[in-house]
Amino acid sequence: MANVTLKVNGETRSASVPPETTLLRLLRDQFNLTGAKLGCDVGDCGACTVIVDGQPVNSCLMLVGQVEGREVLTIEGLATADHLHALQKLFEHFGSLQCGFCGPGVILSAKALLDENPDPSTQEIRDALGGNLCRCTGYTKMIEAIKGAACILRGEEVPAVKSA
Amino acid sequence: MKSFEFFAAKDSNHAVTLLAQHAANAKVKIIAGGTDLLADLKFAAHGPDVVVDISRADDLKNITMTEQGLNIGALVTHTQIMRSPLICQLFPALVDAAHTIGAVQTRNLGTLGGNLVTAVPSMDSGPTLMALEAIVTIAGNGGRRQVPLSEFFVGPRKTILKPDELLTEIIIPKQNVGKPTHFLKFGLRKGQALALVNVAASFWVDWEKNAFLAPRIALGAVAPKVIRAPQAEAYLEGRTITPEAMAEAGRVAVGDAKPISDFRASAEYRRHLVAVLTKRALEGAWALAQTRRLEGSNGKRNA
Ligand SMILES: Cc1cc2nc3c(=O)[nH]c(=O)nc-3n(C[C@H](O)[C@H](O)[C@H](O)COP(=O)(O)OP(=O)(O)OC[C@H]3O[C@@H](n4cnc5c(N)ncnc54)[C@H](O)[C@@H]3O)c2cc1C
Ligand code: FES
Ligand code: FES
């Protein structure tokens, strides 16, 4: 068994799990944080995206031993019950998701982008979402929402919603 | 995944010690970014008994200019390459190559060393480093040794590394620092696609004769390992730089490639890509050489 202690959404958490456990399994099965989804389990789909030490990664491709002592942010850590993150508000506002399976990963990839680049171009947003596969939408409304959230986070007004 | 014992190395020396301890009587695997290894292990019938994690070996995460040349630690991630001012300035081709690897998440974890050790013929770091005649440093219990990257690859998924050895750094030798180089990859999609063919071209310019000097061309995904294109290089050496010469070098490079047909593309299509991409990579390197000359910097052998 491997004993692992790390920070998840600001809280120190520990678990004792087999060393072949991935970060994704740790979050879902031990900590009951099921926001990060198990899609492909091999790095292709991005449904399991979480932010480790500021960088978005595929949690299905990290072993628990590799996240010992690190800081992990999952979608559950982005909002409180009565205060959504700007990205979440605008994804809702624009109807950016359909089934929602890709959503936690997409939003965390977008958050990591906006943390570094407060005013990204459409191309930069597309590049940031290149590792988040969405089978339902065409990404268009996600990109609109991310641009809108970037405005809010910069303290500007969100441009009017384009009618569908 | 099959169960294994897990050890985290503090630095490269510790990693070598751990490998020496375990490699004699157990099947040991190194994990760096894990983007290749874990995807593999999840499907493997027989996994390793021991996994040595080197992702915390900070001494392998530096990008520095040394006496020998540009030194890139094996644990430098693709994201780090894209953000390194030194590499952006000297080798935009390496930045372009890194940018084509997987997606942001993969590039944040995946390392240059891991990419090379996979020895997959389509690896995107391979061609540029081969064209720049990179050297790799290998650390083992008996000490360190250096070999040219071209001798590091043995075949598909096979390198000369012994089970108790670690790749520690990749060096672009001093005489090639700043050499105008261009990388191109052709995949079936823009994102998250392996190369059908990837190519790097690199040359100095003899500005008096307007001729190719020390041209180097490397091709990926068209042979059991990343290869140089010796016939195309010989064709260009000393030749006047013209669009026709670059197009002809592309055609000659087809003769250096030995592509196979698979579910991604036919051998015929890959041969076509070799000709087109080689020509365009040469054009890219030529454009860079001219820009640098205008800026008064490199583009010319500086030693
Ligand atoms: C979704 C996805 C997309 C991808 N797309 C691309 C792509 O477009 N182009 C591309 O080239 N690759 C691609 N890859 C492959 C992979 O991400 C890269 O090859 C990456 O650079 C591997 O590095 P790593 O640190 O993750 O290696 P790991 O998975 O940690 O290791 C890979 C292998 O190298 C060994 N190893 C690692 N480091 C060392 C070392 N320093 N010394 C000795 N042995 C070592 C390991 O034991 C293992 O056998 C992709 C992977 C995924 C999951
Ligand atoms: S589940 Fe991790 S990338 Fe698909
Ligand atoms: S909304 Fe269904 S996968 Fe993206």
Side-chain angles (χ1 to χ4, degrees), chain A residues 77-137:
Chain A
L78 205 58
T80 56
D82 45 26
H83 184 81
L84 291 182
H85 186 275
L87 279 162
Q88 293 167 312
K89 277 188 207 152
L90 288 219
F91 267 63
E92 188 186 355
H93 179 73
F94 281 85
S96 303
L97 295 171
Q98 290 178 24
C99 82
F101 194 81
C102 67
V106 168
I107 289 177
L108 288 174
S109 285
K111 179 192 186 296
L113 171 70
L114 296 185
D115 284 348
E116 283 187 0
N117 180 354
D119 191 10
S121 66
T122 302
Q123 192 46 50
E124 286 168 331
I125 296 174
R126 296 181 80 93
D127 193 49
L129 299 187
N132 294 90
L133 304 191
C134 175
R135 299 289 298 194
C136 303
T137 79

Side-chain angles (χ1 to χ4, degrees), chain A residues 11-12 14 26 31 39 64 80-81 84 91 93 95 127-128 138 157 161:
Chain A
E11 266 179 62
T12 302
S14 300
L26 177 76
F31 300 156
V64 284
T80 56
L84 291 182
F91 267 63
H93 179 73
D127 193 49
E157 233 168 84
V161 189

